[in-house]
Amino acid sequence: MVTLNRESMSIMREIDVIPFRNRLKEYAVKIGMSLVNQTKIITAASELARNMLKYANGGKVTIEVVSKGRENGIRMVFKDEGPGIPDIDKAMKDGFSTGKSLGLGLPGTKRLVSEFAITSEVGKGTTVIVTKWKNG
Amino acid sequence: MEKIPILRMGNLLLVTIQVDLYDRLAETLESDLVQMIKKTGARGVLIDISAVSIIDSFMGRIIGNIATMSKILDAETVVVGMQPAVAITLVELGLPLNGVLTALNVEKGMELLKKKIAEEEPEEEEDHGDTE
């Protein structure tokens, strides 16, 4: 996977999510992503940004335009220094913390992207890396 | 503070969301709408989301809340104009907006609302008519 472009943004307040979404949209349009895939990745990004705000008081997101073979895509790294997730397997199960309270809708978010990886250390923070291929 | 306008038309309230929603704006809309239903005695709420390109779980929940709260206050809610990409994304996200009435566009939404409202208050007028 080759990174063609990289940009970092801080998400410290709810209102920061909008310029981030707009920027992401620009990249998605630039690589020629279909409208459905654009909507999916922006929605996934919105969920992950919200989790960072809700559980870790914010964090940092890096947007990258990546390419693998002939396929272009967008990769995002969400990194926070929050409390971490003690049981990731549980957090990745449908129905955990979703439903009524929502937030942390990780399984749903995973379905919206092509690749999803999460690492978390209690007391240190959580990092979520997602990739959406243009035609993925 | 930024606000989404709520228009009154007879016994209906109309909301057209033309901006990108963020959490506080959506929450403000939720409480404004509920207040407005109470104040005007509106029987129906029509929410046009044709200009909304992203609905995530939070926004989805607000829409569900509005529908439920309106129902408790005896008003029906119809959400109209959802973009196809948004519908696809919502279902994959696992948020099918159960319990929210939807229609393809404003015109169909209006029809649906009027029908729903008429269904709920038929007695007085119809009983005087040909039933007896």
Side-chain angles (χ1 to χ4, degrees):
Chain A
M1 195 153 68
V2 186
T3 301
L4 305 173
N5 200 333
R6 175 179 290 145
E7 181 175 341
S8 283
M9 295 174 92
S10 279
I11 310 272
M12 301 313 291
R13 293 171 309 153
E14 196 193 283
I15 200 88
D16 295 336
V17 177
I18 291 185
F20 160 58
R21 285 201 313 221
N22 292 342
R23 203 80 187 103
L24 179 58
K25 168 114 187 165
E26 283 170 29
Y27 282 116
V29 168
K30 209 195 280 179
I31 67 165
M33 204 178 252
S34 71
L35 185 60
V36 171
N37 277 353
Q38 281 178 34
T39 308
K40 285 183 183 178
I41 192 180
I42 299 170
T43 306
S46 195
E47 297 288 319
L48 293 170
R50 168 162 301 113
N51 280 347
M52 277 202 314
L53 287 169
K54 190 168 168 192
Y55 295 100
N57 290 317
K60 210 169 179 181
V61 58
T62 307
I63 312 173
E64 296 172 329
V65 176
V66 291
S67 97
K68 191 168 76 177
R70 294 178 136 186
E71 183 80 309
N72 281 344
I74 291 175
R75 181 172 181 266
M76 289 180 291
V77 181
F78 293 82
K79 196 169 169 46
D80 70 58
E81 292 174 357
I85 303 169
D87 189 343
I88 288 183
D89 288 342
K90 200 170 153 203
M92 290 307 297
K93 276 210 186 91
D94 256 326
F96 177 75
S97 179
T98 53
K100 288 269 160 358
S101 73
L102 294 162
L104 214 102
L106 292 175
T109 306
K110 187 179 177 182
R111 283 194 291 271
L112 295 178
V113 296
S114 318
E115 289 164 31
F116 183 101
I118 180 166
T119 52
S120 187
E121 203 178 325
V122 174
K124 288 258 173 79
T126 303
T127 302
V128 181
I129 304 176
V130 296
T131 307
K132 183 84 186 166
W133 297 110
K134 185 179 145 185
N135 301 307
Chain B
M1 206 176 81
E2 202 177 356
K3 268 188 183 237
I4 295 170
I6 301 169
L7 308 178
R8 183 182 174 184
M9 199 176 107
N11 58 354
L12 304 180
L13 297 179
L14 310 180
V15 180
T16 300
I17 303 174
Q18 296 278 11
V19 292
D20 267 322
L21 280 173
Y22 51 89
D23 299 10
R24 198 153 314 137
L25 191 59
E27 280 170 339
T28 308
L29 174 66
E30 179 186 286
S31 65
D32 284 356
L33 250 179
V34 176
Q35 305 278 4
M36 204 56 172
I37 293 170
K38 167 87 173 108
K39 210 168 93 186
T40 63
R43 301 297 318 278
V45 177
L46 188 112
I47 305 177
D48 173 25
I49 57 165
S50 57
V52 176
S53 57
I54 298 295
I55 295 181
D56 65 8
S57 60
F58 185 85
M59 258 62 101
R61 186 176 62 137
I62 295 279
I63 291 174
N65 283 355
I66 289 174
T68 311
M69 292 170 186
S70 310
K71 189 77 206 159
I72 294 172
L73 295 175
D74 199 21
E76 294 286 344
T77 303
V78 176
V79 172
V80 305
M82 185 183 289
Q83 295 180 13
V86 172
I88 292 169
T89 303
L90 272 180
V91 171
E92 279 197 26
L93 188 62
L95 203 88
L97 293 187
N98 288 331
V100 179
L101 291 173
T102 54
L104 213 49
N105 53 40
V106 174
E107 205 179 337
K108 292 202 163 112
M110 280 290 192
E111 273 170 33
L112 180 60
L113 261 185
K114 284 183 180 152
K115 208 174 90 195
K116 280 271 164 194
I117 294 169
E119 269 171 22
E120 279 183 12
E121 44 189 35
E123 271 112 55
E124 293 151 40
E125 282 156 60
E126 282 176 22
D127 280 0
H128 292 296
D130 40 34
T131 37
E132 286 188 345

